[in-house]
Amino acid sequence: MTLRFIGTTSEHGNCPTLYEVVETGDILVQGERETNPEHLAQLRDVKESETFVVIPRELLTRFAPKE
């Protein structure tokens, strides 16, 4: 599948970054992995294949699709 770069608020190639999966319209998020045990303990219905990343609100408000 093809990824289309949407945008980033980071400098010098660091994450976080948003991409669109062109064929499906889904959004792929690149960011720092959440490792805070207190946060992880509060998550619900987590599949073994899932992971969580921290995304600054500014990235979403600036670049997230409005549709």
Side-chain angles (χ1 to χ4, degrees), residues 8-56:
T8 184
T9 54
S10 65
E11 297 178 18
H12 312 295
N14 296 324
C15 45
T17 304
L18 294 178
Y19 298 89
E20 176 186 13
V21 181
V22 173
E23 292 81 0
T24 64
D26 291 340
I27 302 300
L28 183 110
V29 179
Q30 175 186 350
E32 292 293 326
R33 184 176 299 135
E34 176 60 78
T35 59
N36 182 316
E38 292 179 19
H39 292 172
L40 294 172
Q42 296 176 58
L43 298 170
R44 300 182 303 179
D45 303 320
V46 178
K47 296 178 186 175
E48 189 158 327
S49 62
E50 294 177 325
T51 191
F52 301 89
V53 296
V54 178
I55 303 301

